[in-house]
Amino acid sequence: MPATTPPATTAAEVLAELAELEDPKIRRVNERHGDDHGVNLTRLRAVAKRLGRQQDLAVGLWETGDTAARLVALLVCRPRAFGRGELDAMLRGARTPKVHDWLVNYVVKKSPHAEELRLAWSADPDPVVASAGWALTTDRVGRRPEGLDLSALLDTVEARMKDAPDRLQWAMNECLARIGIDHPAYRERAVGIGERLEVLKDYPTPPGCTSPFAPAWIAEMVRRQED
């Protein structure tokens, strides 16, 4: 007898599986960070790994609007399958920080539209959208800095980071630190900007972790590189 193809997993079936994994304690912790789901991320990743790449399923899961389902969608999708307009609409509708971060890091960075979106988002008046542009810029600073005006980026950080809304401020601070870590010619200036602005200087940092305060972050990462 010819082999039969197993039926495709539906979005409803994935939602039901995620509902069984829901943990009220995890939800309470996540909600303090703006994320409205209660699924352990290790278990969520295991679900995605079992499903494998399924673009149609990813689209269906995204359309549910459920945060946990959207996280699975971002793990099982094919990043290059999304058009520029689709990615822009997805970012603007991402709602929660974790979905926003995974969309940028797991999907947009792998898209052929990444550079075009970086430029558009960086100039967007919505600070959450702009933070995605800065995240993409930080990625370029570290991996493909050719063509970037690092001095101009530092000018913008120096002028705007202090009074930027939280998520945009965090993204700009990451860019500041990355410039200082990866580009010795700009390190002294990056450290000086961080010292003057004092952004995240008093951020609570657990023992053994690196402070997000740019001068401390730069110093620690440079030390590790030298070691």
Side-chain angles (χ1 to χ4, degrees):
M1 294 179 64
T4 58
T5 302
T9 304
T10 67
E13 289 170 337
V14 177
L15 281 172
E17 184 173 359
L18 293 172
E20 292 180 359
L21 296 175
E22 176 79 15
D23 184 328
K25 293 180 180 178
I26 292 176
R27 176 175 285 273
R28 285 195 294 272
V29 172
N30 286 338
E31 285 179 343
R32 291 202 292 269
H33 302 285
D35 292 309
D36 56 351
H37 78 92
V39 180
N40 176 282
L41 292 181
T42 299
R43 293 187 174 186
L44 185 146
R45 288 179 184 277
V47 171
K49 184 177 181 179
R50 189 192 76 246
L51 292 170
R53 296 289 180 181
Q54 297 191 50
Q55 180 65 14
D56 289 343
L57 175 61
V59 172
L61 289 171
W62 184 270
E63 290 176 347
T64 68
D66 178 82
T67 292
R70 284 186 162 186
L71 293 175
V72 173
L74 296 172
L75 295 174
V76 304
C77 74
R78 299 185 183 279
R80 300 181 70 85
F82 292 109
R84 180 195 183 283
E86 289 177 294
L87 292 172
D88 183 70
M90 289 168 72
L91 184 85
R92 294 176 189 279
R95 293 193 308 106
T96 67
K98 184 65 71 177
V99 171
H100 179 278
D101 290 345
W102 282 24
L103 174 61
V104 172
N105 287 297
Y106 297 164
V107 181
V108 180
K109 286 181 180 179
K110 300 176 183 179
S111 165
H113 308 290
E115 180 62 12
E116 187 179 358
L117 290 169
R118 181 185 77 83
L119 295 171
W121 288 343
S122 295
D124 199 277
D126 183 330
V128 175
V129 175
S131 73
W134 277 90
L136 293 173
T137 298
T138 300
D139 184 60
R140 270 205 61 187
V141 166
R143 296 193 305 113
R144 294 183 297 105
E146 299 80 11
L148 288 178
D149 188 338
L150 299 181
S151 181
L153 286 173
L154 290 175
D155 288 343
T156 302
V157 169
E158 190 167 22
R160 295 177 50 200
M161 184 172 72
K162 182 74 172 180
D163 299 320
D166 288 350
R167 287 173 70 179
L168 177 56
Q169 184 184 74
W170 189 276
M172 295 176 81
N173 184 70
E174 287 188 335
C175 190
L176 173 66
R178 182 52 54 192
I179 292 173
I181 293 164
D182 290 344
H183 300 277
Y186 294 92
R187 186 169 296 152
E188 183 177 353
R189 186 180 174 203
V191 170
I193 290 171
E195 289 175 341
R196 285 193 298 277
L197 299 184
E198 298 186 332
V199 168
L200 301 176
K201 183 176 182 178
D202 299 321
Y203 190 85
T205 305
C209 295
T210 302
S211 169
F213 178 49
W217 189 355
I218 293 168
E220 174 60 17
M221 297 308 294
V222 170
R223 183 193 65 78
R224 292 183 190 181
Q225 290 173 357
E226 292 174 346
D227 288 346

